[in-house]
Amino acid sequence: MIQNKIQEVSKLLLKSKYLVAFTGAGVSVESGIPPFRGDDGLYNQYDPRTLEIDYYYQYPEKSWQVIKEIFYDFFEQKHPNEGHKTLAKWESEGLLKALITQNIDNLHALAGSETVFEFHGNSSRLVCSQCRSYFQVKDMILNNKPPTCPKCKFILKPDFVFFGEGIPQDAYNKSFNAASKCDLFFIIGTSGDVAPANFLPEIAKNQGATIIEINREPSKYTSHTTDIFLQGKSGEILPEIDKYFQKLIYE
Ligand code: NAD
């Protein structure tokens, strides 16, 4: 029974000294953002080459049209769900020590999470590849052509990791560091297909952390990495764990 497992997890939360959460596309599904893969996946609707770094600089206008449609016109209308909000609450209560996300939709920050290790960057920022200046998308006027740097006039790029780019060093180091010292590690809404982020649960497991997984479907982790698998929606299961956890605190 999932309720028994949820109670078991809330007891582990109470004992935990260093909780880390690792999220993927699934945590934002209930906010209306589909994953990349699968029947409704974004890959089926757009040409994935538009998210390759070489393609972006070679055909900036073609690429930008898709990027603007997905990451600015569409993402802009989306709001954090109860899953994002529960993680932000746990951080504010001092329970969650690190939140590592593969998502680029900025919904963890909008939910109130302050320390987020953005493994694949964040679409709400633009970066100039020439002078390395950063700009908030909300401060820019976007149109059908890629924006240019107000300082040096070079083309700006969304500050997320395109195919063919490396992981931001700071987020990489902080994520692996957190995984190597946690005692409880939550895998939430990720299939574990994307490297090198997908090594993080193994790192946590190998140094002795208990691994909790919340996913709609079993993943690569379920049979050999996960200790407790909670199958379902993170926007429902995370608040449910929190409900039991709050009861335990006041018992
Ligand atoms: P994935 O698409 O490979 O897997 C999604 C996982 O979420 C699956 O295991 C599925 O069972 C689970 N899931 C679906 N709905 C769920 C729900 N309501 N609650 C809990 N789990 C649910 O995603 P991934 O592993 O994150 O890899 C995809 C890559 O694409 C990542 O690098 C990510 O950055 C990127 N991406 C990001 C976004 C975003 O920013 N929101 C959206 C799509 C893809």
Side-chain angles (χ1 to χ4, degrees), residues 16 19 24 28 91 109 129 170 176 207 217 223 251:
S16 171
L19 168 67
S28 294
E91 181 191 355
S129 322
D170 189 53
F176 277 89
Q207 59 78 17
E217 304 299 334
S223 57
E251 259 176 19

Side-chain angles (χ1 to χ4, degrees), residues 24-26 28-30 33-37 75 102-105 120 189-192 194 214-217 232-234:
S28 294
V29 165
E30 287 155 90
I33 300 180
F36 279 173
R37 298 176 192 81
F75 274 25
Q102 299 168 85
N103 293 347
I104 56 177
D105 56 25
H120 294 151
T190 175
S191 61
V194 180
I214 304 172
N215 257 327
R216 281 285 291 278
E217 304 299 334
K233 297 179 178 177
S234 49

Side-chain angles (χ1 to χ4, degrees), residues 95-122:
L95 174 67
L96 182 67
K97 301 296 190 289
L99 173 53
I100 305 164
T101 191
Q102 299 168 85
N103 293 347
I104 56 177
D105 56 25
N106 202 38
L107 292 185
H108 283 303
L110 289 174
S113 289
E114 289 179 6
T115 311
V116 186
F117 304 153
E118 295 167 337
F119 212 86
H120 294 151
N122 188 324

